[in-house]
Amino acid sequence: MDKRKVGIILFFLFIIIGFFTSLYLIKLHYDIINNTGSDFCKFGSFFDCSIVGTSRFSEIFNIPVGYLGALWFFINLLLFYNHLKNEDDKSNLLVWNVLGLLFVIYFFYAEFILKSICIFCTLTHLMVIGSFLLVIFLLKPKFNIKDCFRYNSRNDMILALLLFIVHWVVFNMFSNVKIF
């Protein structure tokens, strides 16, 4: 099997693990808020998901970061599928992964400030970093920054922005409602 096929398989594996870990983080977030969770993710004060999950960093614009993670992995999958169908369309995939990497850096900072690490968050961070590195590996000879401003790329980024706005509106309208 050639390196490209291995890279594609690893990319899909990272997306699947990251997506389902993000879904679990959504459940964990609401379990912590509603005091219905267990100590499954607590290994002392340094490795404690409840400290991270109840912190000011656990939501962005009242949206639990697990939702944003699941949305990020889903859009990443769509962009990668689009890239596999049309290899000329690659810039939006790289830009999306750079954005994900920036959020990972922010969340590393948050865990440093909190002096606590969420193991499932760290797993998600590793999947984003792995995805970014694979995108670099798969696109390295083909990327041109001018491609970011092509018509198709703008449509994908506008779709991602609209999905974020819809999530933001829904979570701010129903912020007092218990989901689980």
Side-chain angles (χ1 to χ4, degrees):
M1 193 178 296
D2 68 344
K3 290 180 183 180
R4 180 167 163 68
K5 287 183 182 178
V6 171
I8 291 170
I9 291 169
L10 278 175
F11 188 87
F12 281 117
L13 185 64
F14 288 166
I15 295 294
I16 290 167
I17 291 170
F19 180 77
F20 284 108
T21 304
S22 295
L23 291 180
Y24 180 75
L25 285 170
I26 296 167
K27 180 188 179 318
L28 189 64
H29 177 80
Y30 287 109
D31 285 350
I32 292 168
I33 288 175
N34 298 328
N35 292 323
T36 58
S38 67
D39 290 337
F40 175 68
C41 187
K42 187 172 187 170
F43 305 101
S45 64
F46 188 68
F47 294 103
D48 189 353
C49 293
S50 62
I51 291 174
V52 178
T54 57
S55 74
R56 61 187 168 148
F57 300 105
S58 67
E59 294 181 349
I60 297 177
F61 301 117
N62 289 334
I63 302 173
V65 294
Y67 278 106
L68 298 176
L71 179 65
W72 185 87
F73 282 107
F74 180 73
I75 291 173
N76 203 25
L77 178 66
L78 293 178
L79 291 173
F80 191 68
Y81 177 74
N82 191 33
H83 167 70
L84 291 177
K85 284 181 21 185
N86 179 9
E87 296 220 2
D88 292 334
D89 192 13
K90 57 202 160 281
S91 59
N92 46 5
L93 181 63
L94 182 62
V95 169
W96 189 250
N97 277 271
V98 168
L99 181 67
L101 190 63
L102 292 174
F103 271 96
V104 166
I105 292 168
Y106 168 75
F107 290 124
F108 279 149
Y109 169 76
E111 289 179 331
F112 176 76
I113 295 296
L114 296 171
K115 295 181 175 80
S116 187
I117 293 176
C118 170
I119 294 172
F120 291 105
C121 299
T122 302
L123 178 61
T124 305
H125 300 161
L126 292 173
M127 296 303 107
V128 172
I129 292 168
S131 172
F132 172 77
L133 293 174
L134 283 170
V135 165
I136 295 294
F137 168 74
L138 293 169
L139 300 181
K140 67 181 172 185
K142 303 174 187 176
F143 180 70
N144 183 349
I145 193 68
K146 292 178 184 175
D147 291 339
C148 294
F149 304 102
R150 286 193 349 225
Y151 178 73
N152 291 338
S153 297
R154 284 190 312 222
N155 288 344
D156 292 338
M157 292 302 163
I158 290 170
L159 175 64
L161 180 64
L162 287 175
L163 286 171
F164 174 77
I165 290 171
V166 166
H167 279 82
W168 179 70
V169 167
V170 168
F171 277 94
N172 282 296
M173 286 175 51
F174 304 109
S175 62
N176 294 328
V177 177
K178 293 182 180 180
I179 303 291
F180 294 100

